[in-house]
Amino acid sequence: MSDDVTQDAVLIFAKRLGEIIATCEVSAVWIDSREPCAWQYIRRDGETIIVTCKTLQYWAVRDAAARNGYRLDVKPDEMDVMPGQQITRGIPHADKLSTLAVTPYLSGNSETIFRSAWGDGSEYPTLRRMLRYASTADDLGRAGVIGKTAQEMYGGPLNSSSKVQRARDTGAKEWRALSASLDTARDELIYRSTRPQKDD
């Protein structure tokens, strides 16, 4: 990114952050420090969205790029992607309030969500073996995680192509099932968080 865009982006970001802090209600705080991490921002069309520092950074870079003659709505051509040349890409608009409001809450509970879906791992024996090998590897690219998993599960020589493919296919099937369980656990957590609390 060019120096002019970078400098303008920093100034725009600082100005917008100050305005957001002064005029918008806090929607989420960091659990450890209790410092605000997201705010309710009312757009010109009257719709309320949740903005974070990442949102403000995007806005600042977008506006700084536009101020310096770059457009985010044009697909970069060959010159744009050459090393050392400017490149800017369009980023989708922020989602609606109902989606973004729970993001900081869910990120703070990601371990709970995973444990709920994973259980003891017995439903995902291939993934469990892969994770065990991966957790002891210094370099995942050279660790041969799938090959070792395949040999442990199906025997035969290390890195047998048919058995590696079988382990890969089984792992992918388990991953799809785990992903569905994660979605269910996440949805349940959101559902519970929106129910009114009963007074004891």
Side-chain angles (χ1 to χ4, degrees):
M1 182 171 289
S2 71
D3 290 341
D4 289 341
V5 173
T6 302
Q7 290 171 3
D8 285 351
V10 170
L11 294 174
I12 293 170
F13 173 80
K15 180 181 177 186
R16 288 237 174 103
L17 181 59
E19 292 171 352
I20 291 289
I21 291 172
T23 61
C24 297
E25 290 186 33
V26 174
S27 68
V29 295
W30 294 113
I31 294 173
D32 53 351
S33 65
R34 308 307 295 169
E35 291 291 321
C37 63
W39 298 266
Q40 295 181 31
Y41 177 77
I42 301 174
R43 299 189 330 191
R44 289 185 192 132
D45 62 4
E47 186 169 356
T48 301
I49 62 171
I50 301 299
V51 297
T52 64
C53 284
K54 289 283 187 189
T55 311
L56 297 178
Q57 287 171 0
Y58 164 66
W59 288 349
V61 172
R62 176 198 63 193
D63 293 348
R67 182 182 294 178
N68 287 275
Y70 298 102
R71 293 183 57 192
L72 293 178
D73 59 345
V74 176
K75 185 177 180 181
D77 59 25
E78 190 174 333
M79 286 296 291
D80 289 325
V81 296
M82 291 177 62
Q85 297 293 320
Q86 174 67 29
I87 178 168
T88 56
R89 296 174 185 266
I91 297 177
H93 290 294
D95 288 331
K96 306 302 182 195
L97 174 65
S98 58
T99 303
L100 289 176
V102 296
T103 300
Y105 172 71
L106 290 178
S107 64
N109 288 281
S110 57
E111 184 176 350
T112 303
I113 293 169
F114 182 79
R115 287 292 169 207
S116 176
W118 179 260
D120 62 0
S122 60
E123 294 182 43
Y124 315 103
T126 307
L127 292 180
R128 185 168 58 177
R129 288 181 173 91
M130 288 181 181
L131 286 173
R132 189 177 71 242
Y133 285 120
S135 67
T136 60
D138 293 327
D139 182 351
L140 281 176
R142 300 182 179 192
V145 170
I146 298 179
K148 290 176 182 175
T149 301
Q151 186 180 40
E152 180 182 344
M153 293 182 71
Y154 309 119
L158 182 62
N159 293 325
S160 164
S161 60
S162 62
K163 292 178 181 175
V164 165
Q165 186 62 50
R166 184 176 171 192
R168 182 179 288 118
D169 291 344
T170 305
K173 182 178 178 182
E174 290 177 13
W175 172 248
R176 288 190 292 274
L178 177 59
S179 295
S181 295
L182 287 168
D183 289 341
T184 301
R186 190 181 305 108
D187 291 345
E188 174 63 19
L189 192 61
I190 295 170
Y191 173 71
R192 283 203 315 263
S193 70
T194 59
R195 284 186 296 188
Q197 298 295 320
K198 293 181 180 179
D199 295 328
D200 292 333

